[in-house]
Each structure stands twice: as structure tokens, then as C-alpha cells.
Amino acid sequence: IQLTQSPSFLSASVGDRVTITCRASQPISDSFAWYQQKPGKAPRLLIYGGSTLQSGVPSRFSGSGAGTEFSLTISSLQPEDFATYYCQQLHSYPLTFGGGTKVEI
Amino acid sequence: EVQLVQSAAEVKKPGESLKISCQGFGYTFSSYWIAWVRQMPGKGLEWIGVIYPRDSDTNYSPSFQGHVTFSVDQSISTAYLQWSSLRDADTAIYYCAKAAVPGFVNRFETWGQGTLVTVSS
């Protein structure tokens, strides 16, 4: 299953609302997750099941979608949110990742 | 505290063998799938595959099948990723990650700190 993530690069300001999308090449129900990765760090799980917020993740992060179209929204971008975001499908092997979206100031 | 601790960085020559490790702490190691993920310099995340420590059941991505091997040692709660013959293109950071729910490959909420593997002649 191919995941097409867009945009690959996003320039935004503190306080902005940003949305990242991921399209799957075939339906994957809600078997979908979003991760955040900062430079030199391991990925961090943000959202799973398409829309469930991982424990400890701020509520400004939200996920939606099912089937083939998914999105991650940050309602009000904070300085610590500047990072690269990846989607992952957990429907069938191999559990592929999207290409990533780098969110920069 | 649940954590995965990976082995230190390695520098190897093409053709050499290598085994890197991922040790689990704070949970029942045998009950949770462990995934391996590659990140080449400046690039995105790539799925290598998973192993279930309880019975060593594995699934490899076709892109890596035959080039890497997963194994575990339950007695020391450690998973391994190994190569018998490294290539320059294996230069990357390798992460291990633990599934969130016992017995299921659903989401990966705990990640190791990564092991940098450098392959250069």
C-alpha cells in the first residue's frame, strides 16, 4: 500500500492552523497513525486509529479520515511543533510510511 | 518506565557482518511485537519489518527480505537486527519500536533512541 503525503514542505507561523494529508493507494479502514519527529530524535506517536490522540499529546493535534484519505491538523501551531510529520498505514504488510511533511517557520 | 535501549553506533566496511540490538525494559518483552525502521541520512522512515519475541514470528518488507535477519533473546529481553554482508547503502539510523498492545501489530508508541550504522570503505 502506497501512502502519498502532502505537502512535503510547509512554511507556517506560530498560531497558524495547519493541515497535512495522506492518501492511501487502497482502502485501509482506520488502521492509520501519525508520528512527529524532531531532528536527532526518534519518532513520537501522535495519533492512532485515524483519530485517537495518544496519551500525553496536546489537544491541538487532531486526526481524521478513514478509507483512503486521512489528515492531521494542528489547530494553533506552537514553537515546539516545528518538526517533520509522518503517516503510517497499519492495515497490511509491509506497514508503509508516507514521505513526510517538514513544518518550518 | 517502559523503554527500548539500542546499541551504540557502528562503523563497518562493505562486506562485513553486523548485529545491532534493542533491549526492552519495564514490560513483558515476549508479549509485544518489535518493529525495525530505517532512516537514511536526510530521508524519511522506511519499514523493515517486525518480530514477535514469544515465538520469533517475523514479517519482512520485500525491500529488505533476504538482506537482513531479525532475532531475539528472551532471556535478556533483547531483539536483534543483523546483516551478513553490509553495503554502502546500509548507512542509516536504525530504530526499533514496540507495539502498544500485546500480541497485536497496531501502533508503535515506544521507540528506541536509534543506532547509527555507517558503512564505508
Side-chain angles (χ1 to χ4, degrees):
Chain A
I1 297 175
Q2 310 296 322
L3 294 181
T4 303
Q5 192 173 337
S6 62
S8 54
F9 177 85
L10 190 159
S11 182
S13 301
V14 173
D16 283 355
R17 179 183 180 91
V18 301
T19 297
I20 299 166
T21 63
C22 203
R23 176 175 295 164
S25 58
Q26 63 189 71
I28 58 173
S29 184
D30 62 356
S31 302
F32 198 81
W34 290 98
Y35 298 87
Q36 176 194 65
Q37 188 181 33
K38 295 182 178 179
K41 299 294 187 182
R44 172 196 180 196
L45 177 65
L46 298 177
I47 302 280
Y48 63 91
S51 61
T52 302
L53 199 65
Q54 171 70 0
S55 175
V57 174
S59 59
R60 62 181 179 273
F61 290 91
S62 64
S64 64
T68 61
E69 296 280 340
F70 298 85
S71 63
L72 172 70
T73 298
I74 309 172
S75 60
S76 177
L77 203 61
Q78 298 302 300
E80 60 268 29
D81 301 336
F82 291 94
T84 301
Y85 294 84
Y86 295 94
C87 55
Q88 183 189 29
Q89 65 83 14
L90 296 137
H91 183 265
S92 58
Y93 291 128
L95 305 186
T96 43
F97 291 94
T101 296
K102 188 172 185 179
V103 178
E104 285 194 344
I105 300 173
Chain B
E1 179 194 1
V2 175
Q3 59 177 331
L4 297 174
V5 178
Q6 296 188 235
S7 49
E10 301 271 3
V11 180
K12 292 289 187 179
K13 290 181 167 46
E16 291 186 332
S17 63
L18 176 64
K19 193 174 191 177
I20 63 174
S21 67
C22 168
Q23 188 170 20
F25 294 91
Y27 72 98
T28 304
F29 180 77
S30 61
S31 297
Y32 294 80
W33 288 80
I34 293 285
W36 289 96
V37 174
R38 182 175 80 174
Q39 188 165 39
M40 300 175 77
K43 302 298 184 183
L45 304 174
E46 298 176 89
W47 176 261
I48 301 174
V50 282
I51 185 166
Y52 189 50
R54 177 157 295 175
D55 59 9
S56 293
D57 187 18
T58 58
N59 187 284
Y60 295 91
S61 165
S63 299
F64 293 89
Q65 178 91 45
H67 184 54
V68 300
T69 303
F70 305 146
S71 59
V72 296
D73 184 338
Q74 290 192 56
S75 67
I76 54 172
S77 301
T78 300
Y80 300 96
L81 170 62
Q82 69 179 81
W83 298 258
S84 59
S85 181
L86 286 160
R87 311 163 181 162
D88 288 352
D90 293 319
T91 294
I93 296 172
Y94 292 85
Y95 292 103
C96 61
K98 168 191 165 290
V101 177
F104 289 89
V105 180
N106 48 10
R107 62 188 184 270
F108 295 89
E109 64 179 8
T110 304
W111 291 66
Q113 82 277 20
T115 295
L116 174 62
V117 174
T118 303
V119 183
S120 175
S121 53

